[in-house]
Amino acid sequence: MLKIIIPTAMLMPMTWLSKPNMIWINSTTYSLLISLISLPYLNQLGDNSLNLSLLFFSDSLSAPLLVLTTWLLPLMLMASQSHLSKETLARKKLYITMLIILQLLLIMTFTATELIMFYILFEATLIPTLIIITRWGNQTERLNAGLYFLFYTLMGSLPLLVALLYIQNTTGTLNFLIIQYWAKPISATWSNIFLWLACMMAFMVKMPLYGLHLWLPKAHVEAPIAGSMVLAAVLLKLGGYGMMRITILLNPMTNQMAYPFMMLSLWGMVMTSSICLRQTDLKSLIAYSSVSHMALVIVAVLIQTPWSYMGATALMIAHGLTSSMLFCLANSNYERVHSRTMILARGLQTILPLMAAWWLLVSLANLALPPTINLIGELFVVMASFSWSNMTIVLMGTNIIITALYTLYMLTTTQRGKYTHHIKNINPSFTRENALMALHLLPLLLLSLNPKIVLG
Amino acid sequence: MLRRTLLLGLCRGPLGRGLGTHRGGSILDRDGKMSEIKKKIQSILPGGDWNPLYDTSHLPPESSDVVIVGGGVLGLSVAYWLKKLEKPRGAIRVLVVERDHTYSRASTVLSVGGIRQQFSVPENVQLSLFSIDFLRNINEYLAVADDPPLDIQFNPSGYLLLASEKGAAIMENNVKVQRQEGAKVCLMSPEQLRNKFPWINTEGVALASYGMEHEGWFDPWCLLQGLRRKVQSMGVLFCRGEVTRFMSSSNLMKTASGEEVNLKRIHEVHVKIDQSLEYQPVECAIVINAAGAWSGQVAELAGIGKGPPGTLQGTKLPVELRKRYVYLWHCPQGPGLETPFVIDPSGTYFRREGLGHNYLGGCSPTEEEEPDPGNLEVDHDFFQDRVWPPLAQRVPAFETLKVRSAWAGYYDYNTFDQNGVVGPHPLVINMYFATGFSGHGLQQAPAVGRAVAEMVLEGHFQTINLSSFLFSRFYSGEKVQEHNII
């Protein structure tokens, strides 16, 4: 594990000491190398976890997320080059440092053994994200967005701290490997209900659950591209990962307690998808689609069957790559037209055909076209929830249809039709942007050949 | 210690009120600090607009999809139709930048306010026809909840254009065109004129055309305020400032025939706040030039016209300020209530104003006697020399009139062909024009606004085809000459 953490930490001095025209090249190449180092962790052997040290471990749940996190850093750096080109050198280096710190904290979070360490790092990831959103965001509303983001997550996770300390006191340890054997079934007393709620609320807010999702559209729309990418791809998965870990301790109460959250997720899934149909702001549409996909993950985690866990992990990885790529595409649009409204930049297929190809592929992935892992994830979740209760198939089916509807709506509005007069002279796609899209899509497509890796 | 002071305070409370000490406040609010703290907390809570950095409420937003330069009737009309025609509601963010909210020099409010369909260019007739329909149904278009309905005081008295022998043939042609488009105009001979309007002296008049329906005059201020109110309710942002700079990026591209063209797009508009050095860069996707008489200056800011003359880059926007005078006089023996808006063959015009024998009128000066447009001072000698004699000759009752007041206003005069410029610029591809109407802008504003909004949203004109009014005609030299300009 140190072989990932130390190089990531060392990326920071490398950024500060690089020559001005080498900062992007250096940081991107070395972070790509680090992501290659993390790939062997995917080679999980059976049911046990790969115990690396007293503090860190990785098993088949956290390994794909770890690889996703390390893969994302070079992509974020590539995406941010254009909008940071006008900043001073120190600011650029500061931005890259923030991204690297965030990366470091995320790597440690996904591989933490102790739940308290997980919690501390979980909270710590908020700070670099907040700095990125409020300092480098685009509009004045970003302050409001940062506030919402910070306080929603903090409010949700303070009870988690209390709950973790209580569990530490009663069971004597919070080391994840031990606790999965020591966990006793808890009865449905009032204090246990609160314990359940305290444990779960932080992750519910992070996912986000439908009723607590207010921070997400704001944060996504106001954040700069790297902020949006890391938020959509990784930070949301922190919630899912945390939920999966902590539900081991909360058996069998989850069967009763999960009902209200299941309802909220199922209904919220359909609601947020429908909101997507009415969105005019491109980034806002992608943000709401994130909420919708994550609601599926919440449903899967709360059902707690092996198939639903497999679906949830696959969906998390797939959504991470898809959503991040959609944000990159939206950003490439925004940099050219300086407006996020969809109807003002239409008919891009005739002007930027290669970009249109990327748009098509990612839209198809977003609407869960076979054989992508998006489909595998969704399918497993739908099947598991059908076996949990037959009626959920109605809502799930509606959601799948509406997802297809809004994805195609987004595709046709931006790509098809006659182009508007005022976008005639936009810059053609840069190689950097094409490389960015290809690097997003390649893992997604390759994983559809061997989904076993991400199925947990 | 604390309890003693609290007890003391509690005891003193009812007694203290009687003795005239600190009335009405709680013990903790002695210095008013509690209410201050409460106010601070309330402003921080979500929902309030507390900004920890500095107060920017007087500045325009940092980004807007469409920036409309100029808040007169054309600018507001474009804003209204943009908001009305956008498919998903609330899609486009529009910002209207107007540097003078009192509209003291704007052409809209200084206008005489007439509306007619008697033009020679068919598109002009169509524009006016739609505009009169808009004005007739203004309370359906511009209704705002809980606000009183608008009364634009439309006087449907019609226009009377008089033609001498030379102009009679042109007038007949024009009337044919107008009738084809659907305007209701009738031609009158001098005897019919004398029968209908006994106060007219028909010497020198060979033919007259009289608009029987949809023509007259109205109150431009009311239209402006109605549009402003409606547009604000639709979510358009207003900003009081002046556009000082356009930041643009350009790309060298090749046309289909292989020649290289430099296409520019404006990505930022610098709006300077009045009487201060502060400016706000507004990031935008589309700029609409509706600055009226000052459109030429705004176009120069965008770099239109900077190039060798005779090329497309060097073609300037030929809209400039022209000062026109309007005089208001009182004549007790003057023509009665059914007086139309009379336009003499010499170019002098007048109309009835109100119900007390007051009349408005003026004349367009020739090219040689154009007054200096630097200020809006009125030249009364102009009335004595150029307006009164033809007036008195046409309407003998006007020999005894008394000028009550006068004012001057600007025409956004299109020196090329005195017709409007509508649509995008071929080189600065995200600047759209809605200007240059040379005195008939107010009456065509609703229709022009719709045409520009269609161009922005759809990419082509849908209802009225104004492709002959595009900017490219200045380069290709195709004039759309309007003969009936007053």
Side-chain angles (χ1 to χ4, degrees):
Chain A
M1 202 57 218
L2 265 182
K3 66 177 182 270
I4 304 185
I5 293 181
I6 300 276
T8 315
M10 282 292 128
L11 277 176
M12 279 191 277
M14 185 197 72
T15 321
W16 282 96
L17 296 172
S18 293
K19 285 202 287 244
N21 54 346
M22 290 293 283
I23 41 172
W24 294 110
I25 305 176
N26 276 344
S27 41
T28 318
T29 7
Y30 283 106
S31 43
L32 258 177
L33 283 176
I34 296 176
S35 69
L36 290 177
I37 301 177
S38 66
L39 279 177
Y41 287 112
L42 284 174
N43 188 18
Q44 295 287 333
L45 310 154
D47 229 358
N48 290 334
S49 44
L50 216 55
N51 299 327
L52 303 160
S53 80
L54 276 181
L55 297 169
F56 298 112
F57 81 114
S58 86
D59 70 354
S60 38
L61 171 58
S62 61
L65 288 167
L66 175 66
V67 177
L68 179 67
T69 315
T70 48
W71 184 246
L72 219 61
L73 181 60
L75 269 49
M76 285 197 277
L77 290 168
M78 276 201 276
S80 317
Q81 273 188 26
S82 156
H83 80 89
L84 283 181
S85 54
K86 288 192 227 73
E87 304 254 358
T88 59
L89 190 62
R91 292 257 167 83
K92 282 190 218 180
K93 290 186 177 169
L94 195 60
Y95 190 81
I96 301 178
T97 315
M98 283 293 120
L99 288 179
I100 296 171
I101 295 179
L102 186 57
Q103 170 85 327
L104 194 58
L105 295 170
L106 282 169
I107 293 174
M108 292 204 282
T109 319
F110 279 124
T111 52
T113 329
E114 289 268 352
L115 281 176
I116 285 281
M117 183 158 112
F118 170 78
Y119 174 80
I120 295 174
L121 294 166
F122 177 81
E123 295 298 303
T125 56
L126 289 177
I127 297 178
T129 322
L130 183 70
I131 297 179
I132 293 177
I133 295 179
T134 48
R135 174 63 188 81
W136 280 280
N138 284 322
Q139 269 96 341
T140 27
E141 288 87 20
R142 67 184 186 270
L143 298 167
N144 208 2
L147 225 62
Y148 264 67
F149 166 69
L150 184 69
F151 282 107
Y152 260 78
T153 321
L154 276 180
M155 288 297 132
S157 54
L158 273 173
L160 177 62
L161 181 62
V162 177
L164 284 178
L165 292 172
Y166 169 74
I167 296 176
Q168 164 88 334
N169 273 340
T170 46
T171 37
T173 174
L174 272 180
N175 192 325
F176 186 68
L177 306 164
I178 303 178
I179 211 165
Q180 41 185 338
Y181 302 112
W182 268 83
K184 292 193 278 280
I186 52 177
S187 50
T189 62
W190 268 106
S191 56
N192 280 339
I193 291 180
F194 281 115
L195 179 68
W196 193 95
L197 275 175
C199 288
M200 293 298 246
M201 280 323 284
F203 304 116
M204 293 291 182
V205 171
K206 199 76 178 171
M207 284 297 284
L209 183 65
Y210 175 58
L212 307 160
H213 70 291
L214 219 46
W215 62 271
L216 187 90
K218 284 195 207 291
H220 268 132
V221 168
E222 306 302 331
I225 178 61
S228 285
M229 283 168 77
V230 77
L231 254 180
V234 187
L235 287 175
L236 264 48
K237 317 309 182 257
L238 270 180
Y241 174 76
M243 256 210 276
M244 284 202 226
R245 292 287 187 218
I246 214 146
T247 41
I248 298 185
L249 306 168
L250 301 170
N251 271 328
M253 248 182 65
T254 318
N255 298 335
Q256 284 87 9
M257 281 302 298
Y259 271 108
F261 298 102
M262 288 283 291
M263 294 307 125
L264 269 177
S265 292
L266 284 168
W267 184 238
M269 199 168 62
V270 180
M271 276 291 108
T272 40
S273 301
S274 320
I275 292 178
C276 282
L277 284 172
R278 291 284 300 172
Q279 283 298 322
T280 53
D281 183 337
L282 193 53
K283 266 181 124 168
S284 189
L285 196 152
I286 305 172
Y288 275 107
S289 87
S290 280
V291 181
S292 171
H293 286 282
M294 284 297 113
L296 270 173
V297 177
I298 298 182
V299 169
V301 174
L302 289 174
I303 300 179
Q304 292 185 304
T305 66
W307 270 36
S308 74
Y309 270 33
M310 280 157 62
T313 20
L315 200 52
M316 284 203 284
I317 304 293
H319 174 259
L321 288 168
T322 318
S323 207
S324 171
M325 186 167 169
L326 276 171
F327 275 115
C328 287
L329 285 169
N331 185 53
S332 77
N333 246 6
Y334 174 73
E335 279 171 6
R336 289 177 168 76
V337 187
H338 290 281
S339 159
R340 289 194 305 264
T341 315
M342 278 195 294
I343 55 179
L344 284 182
R346 304 189 298 270
L348 290 173
Q349 188 160 358
T350 30
I351 307 184
L352 301 172
L354 188 52
M355 219 29 111
W358 301 127
W359 271 100
L360 179 67
L361 285 170
V362 80
S363 298
L364 292 177
N366 200 19
L367 48 91
L369 195 73
T372 58
I373 45 177
N374 300 63
L375 174 76
I376 295 177
E378 272 193 43
L379 209 55
F380 278 23
V381 175
V382 172
M383 286 193 288
S385 78
F386 181 67
S387 61
W388 179 75
S389 154
N390 290 6
M391 284 305 291
T392 55
I393 194 92
V394 177
L395 286 168
M396 294 271 181
T398 320
N399 181 47
I400 295 184
I401 297 178
I402 303 184
T403 307
L405 279 174
Y406 72 70
T407 317
L408 289 175
Y409 165 65
M410 176 174 67
L411 184 68
T412 50
T413 317
T414 48
Q415 305 301 117
R416 307 290 156 91
K418 180 152 192 326
Y419 55 86
T420 51
H421 183 268
H422 49 266
I423 58 169
K424 270 196 213 157
N425 81 331
I426 51 180
N427 292 325
S429 315
F430 301 122
T431 313
R432 169 182 62 86
E433 288 172 350
N434 284 328
L436 191 59
M437 307 308 161
L439 284 176
H440 268 114
L441 206 54
L442 215 56
L444 202 57
L445 296 176
L446 286 175
L447 276 172
S448 49
L449 294 175
N450 188 8
K452 197 172 54 164
I453 318 175
V454 296
L455 277 179
Chain B
M1 178 65 180
L2 191 61
R3 203 182 298 174
R4 217 188 305 149
T5 27
L6 277 177
L7 274 173
L8 269 176
L10 286 170
C11 285
R12 212 186 299 144
L15 292 175
R17 239 171 264 145
L19 292 173
T21 50
H22 194 79
R23 280 176 186 275
S26 72
I27 183 68
L28 294 165
D29 200 24
R30 267 299 167 84
D31 306 317
K33 284 235 181 80
M34 269 308 281
S35 48
E36 261 184 46
I37 297 177
K38 259 199 222 168
K39 247 190 264 182
K40 271 217 179 109
I41 294 181
Q42 259 177 353
S43 69
I44 297 181
L45 284 178
D49 42 31
W50 173 68
N51 193 334
L53 299 177
Y54 45 81
D55 182 20
T56 54
S57 50
H58 59 287
L59 289 175
E62 276 179 8
S63 74
S64 172
D65 294 327
V66 179
V67 174
I68 301 184
V69 182
V73 70
L74 270 177
L76 291 182
S77 172
V78 174
Y80 169 74
W81 284 104
L82 270 176
K83 279 309 219 179
K84 191 154 152 71
L85 291 179
E86 61 183 5
K87 292 288 170 42
R89 255 186 31 192
I92 306 189
R93 288 175 301 173
V94 183
L95 174 72
V96 174
V97 180
E98 166 60 48
R99 73 177 161 192
D100 180 10
H101 273 188
T102 61
Y103 294 96
S104 55
R105 298 194 306 161
S107 313
T108 307
V109 293
L110 296 169
S111 150
V112 169
I115 176 164
R116 60 182 161 111
Q117 278 85 44
Q118 295 186 48
F119 290 101
S120 57
V121 176
E123 284 94 351
N124 274 339
V125 183
Q126 289 167 2
L127 288 174
S128 287
L129 275 173
F130 177 75
S131 301
I132 190 66
D133 176 68
F134 183 91
L135 290 176
R136 274 252 155 88
N137 298 317
I138 197 169
N139 282 312
E140 280 164 30
Y141 284 101
L142 299 184
V144 177
D146 291 341
D147 268 354
L150 290 170
D151 174 21
I152 53 166
Q153 293 163 23
F154 178 58
N155 279 288
S157 301
Y159 267 62
L160 181 70
L161 270 74
L162 305 172
S164 57
E165 280 289 339
K166 285 190 297 171
I170 304 178
M171 177 174 275
E172 267 198 71
N173 266 339
N174 291 349
V175 171
K176 212 185 329 177
V177 168
Q178 291 151 22
R179 282 203 183 128
Q180 255 176 352
E181 298 297 335
K184 292 195 174 55
V185 186
C186 77
L187 284 166
M188 296 169 83
S189 67
E191 300 87 64
Q192 288 169 321
L193 259 186
R194 274 193 293 272
N195 276 341
K196 190 149 172 72
F197 305 115
W199 39 264
I200 262 194
N201 168 16
T202 53
E203 181 189 330
V205 173
L207 195 58
S209 70
Y210 180 47
M212 290 191 297
E213 215 184 320
H214 302 318
E215 291 191 349
W217 56 88
F218 62 96
D219 177 17
W221 181 253
C222 182
L223 176 63
L224 188 69
Q225 291 307 313
L227 271 173
R228 204 190 155 96
R229 200 181 66 178
K230 175 71 177 172
V231 141
Q232 266 177 331
S233 82
M234 284 166 131
V236 169
L237 296 166
F238 275 81
C239 161
R240 190 174 140 213
E242 185 180 344
V243 170
T244 46
R245 222 173 153 193
F246 289 117
M247 306 289 285
S248 48
S249 60
S250 49
N251 272 22
L252 204 56
M253 309 189 89
K254 276 206 162 128
T255 61
S257 51
E259 49 175 275
E260 286 199 346
V261 167
N262 204 6
L263 293 180
K264 271 200 326 187
R265 72 174 300 116
I266 301 171
H267 60 82
E268 220 175 49
V269 178
H270 285 194
V271 178
K272 182 175 104 66
I273 304 302
D274 225 14
Q275 281 154 8
S276 128
L277 285 177
E278 226 182 336
Y279 73 91
Q280 165 80 297
V282 179
E283 196 181 12
C284 63
I286 295 175
V287 175
I288 298 191
N289 185 351
W294 296 271
S295 318
Q297 296 164 10
V298 173
E300 271 182 30
L301 277 179
I304 296 176
K306 290 211 178 86
T311 59
L312 189 51
Q313 293 95 306
T315 317
K316 295 194 208 288
L317 178 70
V319 174
E320 42 181 66
L321 294 134
R322 290 286 169 94
K323 187 158 84 164
R324 296 284 178 267
Y325 304 113
V326 177
Y327 303 94
L328 173 72
W329 64 86
H330 175 74
C331 179
Q333 291 91 31
L337 286 177
E338 59 163 44
T339 317
F341 197 123
V342 180
I343 305 182
D344 197 64
S346 61
T348 324
Y349 61 88
F350 76 93
R351 70 158 169 93
R352 173 179 61 80
E353 166 71 16
L355 303 170
H357 287 292
N358 293 315
Y359 305 88
L360 269 186
C363 172
S364 285
T366 56
E367 288 286 337
E368 298 81 41
E369 41 181 41
E370 279 287 349
D372 169 35
N375 54 28
L376 284 177
E377 302 279 324
V378 180
D379 180 12
H380 293 278
D381 294 330
F382 186 77
F383 184 75
Q384 301 277 58
D385 303 329
R386 285 277 281 120
V387 184
W388 202 359
L391 265 186
Q393 201 237 345
R394 190 57 59 205
V395 182
F398 279 161
E399 294 198 353
T400 55
L401 58 77
K402 194 163 161 54
V403 175
R404 281 279 162 84
S405 76
W407 65 86
Y410 291 120
Y411 270 19
D412 47 347
Y413 195 79
N414 181 349
T415 51
F416 189 71
D417 56 9
Q418 290 87 55
N419 260 325
V421 191
V422 174
H425 187 272
L427 291 180
V428 180
I429 57 176
N430 61 348
M431 176 173 263
Y432 289 78
F433 294 106
T435 176
F437 282 91
S438 320
H440 51 273
L442 172 66
Q443 56 190 277
Q444 295 177 336
V448 170
R450 187 175 62 163
V452 175
E454 282 166 3
M455 194 67 180
V456 170
L457 292 173
E458 308 287 332
H460 51 273
F461 297 114
Q462 278 184 324
T463 42
I464 302 179
N465 186 4
L466 295 180
S467 31
S468 49
F469 283 14
L470 289 172
F471 184 91
S472 36
R473 75 184 195 267
F474 300 137
Y475 174 61
S476 54
E478 293 154 10
K479 289 196 182 190
V480 189
Q481 197 76 37
E482 172 61 54
H483 298 291
N484 289 353
I485 291 288
I486 51 168

